[in-house]
Amino acid sequence: MKEVKLAKLLVLAILFSVTHLYSATYYVNGIKGNDTLKTHTGLSESKAFKTINKAISIAKRGDIIKVKGKVDTIQIIYKESIYVPYDKEDLKIIGEHSPIIDGNLEVEDKPYYGILIKGRGTVVDGFTIRNFTGTKVNEYGLTGSAGIILDRTNTCIIINNKIENCNWGIVAIESEYCSIQGNSIFRILSSSNDFNLKSGGVAMYLVNNEVTMQKYLIGNEKGNIIDDASLCGIWFGTELENILADLTLIENNTISRIRQGASLFIRNLEGTIRITKNTFRNNHHSLEIEGVCIDTWISENIFAGSTSAYEIKTDERYPASLIYDIWRNNKNEFYRTTYALIEKRNNIGASDRFRYIWSNKEGLENYKGNYRIEELAGTKTTEN
């Protein structure tokens, strides 16, 4: 038996060694690198490429691309829009000392993304992506520009990046099994003043109108920080009647200062989804649920106060007892005193086809009707 186990371990070690043996590491240095000299193969720091796209064009499946962010004390800024095509799978694009990908390109037709990923299994780690804005209508029916786009891919990892001053932070179209963790997303502003979903102002827009969008890890072990967006912090779901999003985790994220919409919006989800240990602070409202979403478990979150008259909003399809559980029974913490209209025991009534957890008692008086008002005292007198 010991000999069999030893043989198995030896086979695994050989497979790992062979895989590692055939993967290459390429280096990119925007100051000292060169894309045109034949002597610059990218295979060492002294022979680094100048641009990230050059390294991607040479790399094979499973290769590593290390992108330098500083030379001495000089910060390196890459004035390029990064594209990972379908045939480039399992690339690891690693930023060292936070290299900057800047959208202020000196070209007339500016690109609509900082990084566009079509290759499955891509890892993007440790970049600052900034200043991708504009009104270009792209192939996804969206206006404006995005920091990172995942296009019909899976098993990608987006981790430890900073995205700022873009119309969209991270966009994922028809993708699944992706991990988005440890990112900081700031100043995500709509490309127009109409606050239309297709105009941006959304820090994470994760939408799938095909079959499934399973096993997203949004935060999980290392939460994302979202601060200052026009319309939405995280938009997750489908424009269809429902989508299977089984085994998805949205947890340990901190979302602040969403101006016009929800810090977290979920739509028409099926399957076991957990939304736990997130902090929602000073947003227009914290949570919005559209559709039934009955298997989505929402617990242990901090609702630190909204700027509107309500903290949570659902449509009337969402069961009255489940929104009551979010409010009273699932270990969620509400810093401010909140209120609800109760139609019967432990059921929250609908007003104009929506159900609310209110943050302003005066705001619900007009909707009272035959309901009674129930109050939940806040847990903190000040917000910190």
Side-chain angles (χ1 to χ4, degrees), residues 85-288:
Y86 289 111
D87 60 345
K88 301 288 182 175
E89 296 186 351
D90 300 319
L91 295 185
K92 297 176 178 61
I93 307 171
I94 311 298
E96 299 179 336
H97 299 103
S98 197
I100 296 171
I101 301 172
D102 198 304
N104 284 331
L105 305 176
E106 296 175 359
V107 294
E108 184 177 347
D109 189 18
K110 292 186 178 182
Y112 57 85
Y113 57 86
I115 303 177
L116 173 59
I117 299 169
K118 297 189 177 186
R120 66 179 299 279
T122 301
V123 176
V124 176
D125 182 353
F127 288 84
T128 294
I129 304 164
R130 69 186 190 189
N131 300 328
F132 283 88
T133 60
T135 57
K136 179 182 175 68
V137 178
N138 62 47
E139 61 182 292
Y140 311 103
L142 310 176
T143 62
S145 301
I148 297 175
I149 299 176
L150 305 176
D151 180 6
R152 298 169 179 85
T153 186
N154 59 59
T155 64
C156 292
I157 299 174
I158 309 300
I159 187 169
N160 300 328
N161 302 287
K162 182 178 180 181
I163 301 173
E164 57 185 357
N165 194 36
C166 298
N167 300 127
W168 305 82
I170 297 171
V171 173
I173 305 290
E174 325 296 7
S175 300
E176 60 183 345
Y177 294 94
C178 293
S179 177
I180 303 172
Q181 301 194 50
N183 302 284
S184 299
I185 306 176
F186 303 106
R187 292 193 301 278
I188 304 300
L189 306 179
S190 176
S191 62
S192 69
N193 294 322
D194 60 3
F195 298 109
N196 184 306
L197 178 62
K198 300 299 184 180
S199 299
V202 182
M204 290 190 199
Y205 182 55
L206 315 176
V207 61
N208 195 315
N209 294 324
E210 293 189 348
V211 181
T212 66
M213 58 184 308
Q214 299 185 87
K215 205 172 181 180
Y216 268 90
L217 301 179
I218 305 169
N220 191 231
E221 295 180 2
K222 192 171 184 181
N224 302 284
I225 296 173
I226 296 172
D227 182 47
D228 191 8
S230 296
L231 188 61
C232 190
I234 300 173
W235 197 105
F236 185 85
T238 183
E239 296 170 351
L240 303 177
E241 286 301 314
N242 55 69
I243 191 80
L244 182 62
D246 207 23
L247 303 177
T248 287
L249 299 177
I250 302 175
E251 57 186 16
N252 295 317
N253 303 287
T254 300
I255 307 176
S256 307
R257 297 196 296 166
I258 307 303
R259 303 180 188 182
Q260 292 293 323
S263 55
L264 173 60
F265 181 99
I266 60 174
R267 188 176 195 275
N268 292 350
L269 302 179
E270 288 188 351
T272 54
I273 299 101
R274 293 184 64 86
I275 298 173
T276 64
K277 300 178 183 177
N278 302 285
T279 297
F280 309 115
R281 187 187 303 275
N282 294 328
N283 303 291
H284 182 270
H285 58 286
S286 296
L287 174 65
E288 186 165 346

Side-chain angles (χ1 to χ4, degrees), residues 18-49:
V18 170
T19 302
H20 188 71
L21 178 67
Y22 285 100
S23 66
T25 298
Y26 291 93
Y27 296 86
V28 179
N29 186 322
I31 293 177
K32 294 184 177 181
N34 197 297
D35 288 350
T36 57
L37 291 176
K38 291 183 179 180
T39 55
H40 279 244
T41 60
L43 292 171
S44 68
E45 291 195 41
S46 62
K47 297 180 180 180
F49 292 129

Side-chain angles (χ1 to χ4, degrees), residues 320-332:
S321 60
L322 292 187
I323 185 172
Y324 187 91
D325 284 341
I326 293 171
W327 188 41
R328 303 299 293 257
N329 297 328
N330 293 359
K331 297 183 181 179
N332 295 299

